[in-house]
Amino acid sequence: SGSNATDKAKVTVYEIDLVVDSLKENTEENLGTFLGIKTRKALTIKANPVSLGGQIKITTNGLKLYNGATETTQRQWNIGSVPNLQIGGTASTTMRDKTCTLEWTGVTGLTENDLVKATVVTGNMAPASLFAVTNHETDIAYVHWNIDNDDNSTVVSGEPAKHPGGDYKQNHVAGEDNLKTLGLTLTPADLNIGTIKLTIGANAKLWKALAKGPAVNNISNLVLASGTKSWNLSNATEKADFNTLKSTLFIEGINGGGPDEFKYEYVPPIGNDIELDKVKYKFIAANCGRQPTVDVITWTGGTPIITLGEKNIIKARHSGLVDCEWSIIGAQSLKYNCVAYSVNWTDKWVNEDGNEFVIPDTSTGLPITNVTSFEAYYGVGANLKTKEELRNYFYQNTVWAFPVGTDLSNADILYYNPNSPNFHAAIRRHCQCGNPKWIMFESKDGKYEIIEHQAKQTGYGDPNILYVIGD
């Protein structure tokens, strides 16, 4: 009789897999993973069977390998003792130009490899600022709250009375000069997948042009009014729009406040959002008083009649004034001048000495009354000889103020051009305008308005004497 014989063989299938972002095998090489310059991705090594022995070796190209928080130069481990590994990298030149390769060698000499490709996306924000920004992590970018009136426009509907013709309420301003540029960079240049996001705060608008308008083909130049704007890089039109805009963006302050965080992000097709850069902005203006009126042109029989506004008149007297950094806080008066105002007098006119010209009262043609001087007020019986002694004695006896060196942050009263007909005085305002970058003072220019201003913007040069009011 015949017999049947059966022969059996046992086959073990070995599998080793290097996993990032839970990517499927074909995605690891075709699409790859995406990292930021500051982000790291965890490496997971999956072995089948779990009891698979042998050694693994990690090879990187353009990527750094980390054991926990520390970069490691070790590249080989027994498969059962692999630490918590992460990858990070430097900026990609092209998409998927970084690689991480896993090589497994079994106890019997069998080998298997696995590869993951990576793109390290980088981007920077380059904010222009009233003050230099050198470190995005610590410095704040400062931009004017755009309350001035660069185009001499009439009052805009819905605008506060203290900001007549305020530029921040308009969509087009000829001669606009208070917006600041915001440049963006993005690498790699061939990045054609994922989404770019730019988020700005509620105190700003983002424009395509310095003058903001006019609209082109009825399309506004406004890019963003608070919130987030996105560009899909897989859409050719949106990518082209972003590449055009990223070097021609302008930030406008539409409210005083901050710091507001502006954030620049990349959203990859797989994985978490990548923060490319961020900047904090603060928007500042001299807003204690009102903005000045501007020139008005009317026409009579085809002839233009120009009525000068306060802006050009005051700036002609105070050549150092910067728009958005000064305001009018008091009316004209012949009853008192800058020195009197610096000691809170509003009923006297104080000259340096008694020989100076006395301004007439325009309503009567007679000299203004109650004129005094350092010499007339304190020279008799005070045993003082020099103008400096008289001036110091005046401030000491009126408001208990004393000379204090050259640090403006310590000064309560500023005195300009002593011993000169062009003397001037200002008093500390102690307001929040421009804080902490500006130190605001206020002063009355002879018979004219009281304005708030910075110390070195009066047109009288730098203050020569600083006084501090004692306790």
Side-chain angles (χ1 to χ4, degrees):
S1 65
S3 63
N4 295 323
T6 301
D7 193 10
K8 297 180 179 180
K10 184 177 182 181
V11 177
T12 302
V13 178
Y14 298 97
E15 183 181 16
I16 192 81
D17 192 14
L18 179 62
V19 180
V20 181
D21 278 334
S22 301
L23 298 178
K24 295 181 179 180
E25 191 66 33
N26 63 332
T27 306
E28 290 176 347
E29 297 187 23
N30 296 328
L31 178 63
T33 188
F34 294 84
L35 300 85
I37 199 74
K38 299 178 182 179
T39 58
R40 298 175 190 168
K41 291 289 182 74
L43 297 179
T44 301
I45 298 171
K46 293 184 178 180
N48 184 25
V50 176
S51 59
L52 185 67
Q55 288 192 327
I56 65 161
K57 181 179 179 181
I58 301 290
T59 303
T60 56
N61 176 28
L63 296 170
K64 296 179 180 180
L65 191 64
Y66 293 87
N67 180 350
T70 306
E71 185 177 357
T72 180
T73 58
Q74 185 177 351
R75 291 292 185 270
Q76 193 164 325
W77 296 268
N78 290 325
I79 196 169
S81 59
V82 180
N84 294 322
L85 297 177
Q86 296 178 321
I87 52 171
T90 55
S92 287
T93 303
T94 60
M95 290 183 64
R96 294 178 287 277
D97 61 348
K98 316 291 185 183
T99 60
C100 182
T101 304
L102 168 68
E103 180 182 350
W104 168 73
T105 303
V107 292
T108 61
L110 294 174
T111 62
E112 185 174 348
N113 296 334
D114 195 20
L115 173 71
V116 173
K117 292 183 178 180
T119 303
V120 181
V121 181
T122 61
N124 289 299
M125 305 172 76
S129 170
L130 295 170
F131 306 93
V133 175
T134 57
N135 186 328
H136 291 177
E137 300 297 325
T138 58
D139 293 350
I140 294 175
Y142 287 84
V143 174
H144 284 135
W145 176 12
N146 198 17
I147 62 176
D148 68 340
N149 188 352
D150 287 323
D151 60 352
N152 289 357
S153 59
T154 55
V155 174
V156 177
S157 177
E159 188 169 301
K162 66 191 300 185
H163 305 149
D167 293 342
Y168 71 102
K169 289 289 187 177
Q170 302 182 67
N171 293 326
H172 173 57
V173 178
E176 176 60 69
D177 59 4
N178 294 115
L179 277 61
K180 291 294 184 181
T181 58
L182 173 62
L184 303 176
T185 64
L186 180 67
T187 58
D190 64 345
L191 189 62
N192 60 5
I193 195 170
T195 302
I196 291 295
K197 291 198 310 185
L198 184 62
T199 302
I200 71 172
N203 293 313
K205 286 183 178 179
L206 190 66
W207 297 89
K208 298 178 184 179
L210 177 60
K212 301 192 282 186
V216 179
N217 297 325
N218 293 320
I219 299 175
S220 171
N221 280 328
L222 179 65
V223 177
L224 185 59
S226 77
T228 300
K229 170 75 174 178
S230 298
W231 293 267
N232 181 357
L233 298 181
S234 61
N235 181 298
T237 301
E238 292 190 29
K239 180 177 179 179
D241 181 50
F242 173 75
N243 283 332
T244 299
L245 286 176
K246 67 183 182 182
S247 59
T248 57
L249 292 171
F250 294 86
I251 293 288
E252 178 187 26
I254 61 169
N255 284 302
D260 294 348
E261 186 172 85
F262 287 36
K263 191 179 294 186
Y264 181 30
E265 298 171 285
Y266 172 68
V267 183
I270 298 175
N272 298 326
D273 295 4
I274 297 171
E275 182 183 284
L276 301 177
D277 203 357
K278 60 184 178 182
V279 176
K280 290 183 179 179
Y281 277 92
K282 193 168 184 180
F283 302 93
I284 56 177
N287 195 45
C288 289
R290 63 175 177 84
Q291 288 296 291
T293 59
V294 294
D295 299 351
V296 176
I297 300 177
T298 56
W299 295 83
T300 302
T303 301
I305 307 298
I306 301 176
T307 303
L308 292 179
E310 295 166 324
K311 180 178 179 179
N312 286 332
I313 292 174
I314 293 174
K315 290 182 72 173
R317 296 198 308 267
H318 298 274
S319 58
L321 291 177
V322 176
D323 291 346
C324 296
E325 299 184 10
W326 65 282
S327 71
I328 299 172
I329 59 176
Q332 295 185 6
S333 173
L334 280 165
K335 293 182 179 180
Y336 59 103
N337 68 344
C338 60
V339 176
Y341 188 69
S342 72
V343 295
N344 302 311
W345 287 354
T346 57
D347 60 350
K348 296 180 180 66
W349 188 286
V350 182
N351 288 325
E352 278 220 326
D353 61 47
N355 298 320
E356 292 168 353
F357 175 70
V358 176
I359 297 177
D361 184 335
T362 54
S363 64
T364 64
L366 300 174
I368 58 176
T369 59
N370 212 4
V371 177
T372 186
S373 67
F374 299 146
E375 183 178 24
Y377 205 75
Y378 285 118
V380 179
N383 297 319
L384 303 174
K385 297 180 180 179
T386 68
K387 285 188 177 182
E388 180 180 5
E389 289 175 318
L390 288 166
R391 186 186 309 106
N392 290 343
Y393 192 72
F394 170 80
Y395 278 110
Q396 177 183 342
N397 281 271
T398 51
V399 290
W400 199 241
F402 303 86
V404 69
T406 60
D407 186 353
L408 286 173
S409 65
N410 293 328
D412 292 309
I413 297 171
L414 307 178
Y415 203 91
Y416 304 77
N417 304 319
N419 310 324
S420 163
N422 198 35
F423 67 90
H424 187 62
I427 188 169
R428 184 74 165 265
R429 179 128 188 100
H430 293 291
C431 64
Q432 293 301 306
C433 296
N435 185 51
K437 291 295 186 177
W438 297 344
I439 301 175
M440 301 302 291
F441 291 82
E442 57 185 283
S443 63
K444 187 175 185 297
D445 187 15
K447 65 179 180 179
Y448 299 107
E449 298 88 352
I450 304 168
I451 63 172
E452 66 165 332
H453 56 80
Q454 294 189 62
K456 300 181 181 182
Q457 293 184 2
T458 62
Y460 289 92
D462 292 353
N464 301 87
I465 307 170
L466 280 59
Y467 290 94
V468 63
I469 297 175
D471 297 331

